[in-house]
Amino acid sequence: MEFDSEDAARKFYAEYARQMGFVVRIMQRRRSGIDGRTLARRLGCNKQGFSPNHRGIYGLDKKSRPSAREGCKATILVKMEKSGKWVVTRFVKDHNHPLVVCSNGFNSSGDKDKKIEELKTELEHQEQLCIAYREKLFNFISKVEEQTEELSSKIQVILSNLRQVESGIQKHYPCRRPQ
């Protein structure tokens, strides 16, 4: 096959992928060392290859997530010819995983919509929890403030009583000052 531009080749393959039931990932680009323009582009299934095991700079593993990559080999390689046309030089059709196709030829966005709705519901639930916890926290702080005021007034009464006792002791047993 032949295309007028790299973009036309990419759009064609993306449409083909949509109809077949997979998602395209841009994989490689080869540029000219002279002027930097793209000479070749490799596109493939988003399940191509395997995800590397990333480790932090201190050797700590990040929380692992399931990888979407399954080692799929489906790719297309397009190169720009001297004529300026883009030509498919390699095409691997076979996938090593099931493809998701709906009757209308579109990938099911229902799964995405369902996940979005689940996340929205979970977010609303978490927001309600936050409101309830905030209310409980404010009630707790209010009770602590009330009890602090009550304790403060009790301490003032105790100090007043202590001062009265001290003044009574001083009246009955006056202290002699050293001369």
Side-chain angles (χ1 to χ4, degrees):
M1 289 187 76
E2 195 175 84
F3 301 94
D4 290 330
S5 67
E6 174 193 358
D7 192 50
R10 184 184 52 76
K11 285 179 180 175
F12 173 83
Y13 192 64
E15 177 62 22
Y16 166 78
R18 184 184 64 75
Q19 290 179 8
M20 295 303 294
F22 68 98
V23 177
V24 173
R25 184 160 67 94
I26 297 172
M27 297 162 58
Q28 285 181 327
R29 169 168 66 175
R30 194 176 61 135
R31 292 181 179 225
S32 165
I34 298 169
D35 59 9
R37 64 190 167 130
T38 302
L39 299 176
R41 174 70 79 178
R42 188 164 66 105
L43 308 168
C45 176
N46 72 327
K47 294 183 183 269
Q48 184 274 336
F50 295 96
S51 292
N53 183 10
H54 292 290
R55 295 178 68 90
I57 55 175
Y58 299 107
L60 300 173
D61 285 320
K62 290 185 176 182
K63 184 177 179 183
S64 61
R65 317 182 275 201
S67 173
R69 297 193 190 179
E70 299 182 15
C72 184
K73 302 283 187 204
T75 60
I76 185 172
L77 177 65
V78 290
K79 291 183 179 179
M80 185 171 65
E81 297 289 312
K82 290 182 181 180
S83 66
K85 296 279 188 181
W86 287 77
V87 178
V88 175
T89 59
R90 186 175 358 152
F91 176 71
V92 178
K93 178 180 177 182
D94 298 325
H95 295 263
N96 65 348
H97 56 89
L99 302 176
V100 182
V101 180
C102 293
S103 59
N104 62 3
F106 290 94
N107 280 339
S108 173
S109 64
D111 289 341
K112 287 181 183 178
D113 292 340
K114 183 179 174 184
K115 186 66 175 177
I116 288 170
E117 285 303 314
E118 287 173 6
L119 291 171
K120 282 169 93 175
T121 302
E122 178 63 21
L123 181 61
E124 289 169 2
H125 174 72
Q126 293 298 325
E127 286 174 346
Q128 292 301 317
L129 283 175
C130 282
I131 290 168
Y133 290 148
R134 185 178 298 123
E135 187 176 324
K136 286 181 180 185
L137 180 62
F138 287 144
N139 287 337
F140 175 76
I141 290 171
S142 177
K143 286 181 181 181
V144 167
E145 288 174 348
E146 288 173 15
Q147 290 182 358
T148 300
E149 289 176 20
E150 189 178 320
L151 283 173
S152 180
S153 65
K154 287 180 179 179
I155 290 171
Q156 291 301 320
V157 169
I158 291 170
L159 286 173
S160 175
N161 290 341
L162 189 58
R163 287 184 188 122
Q164 285 178 358
V165 169
E166 284 178 343
S167 80
I169 290 174
Q170 287 178 354
K171 285 181 185 176
H172 291 300
Y173 305 102
C175 294
R176 293 187 185 167
R177 295 186 184 192
Q179 294 181 9

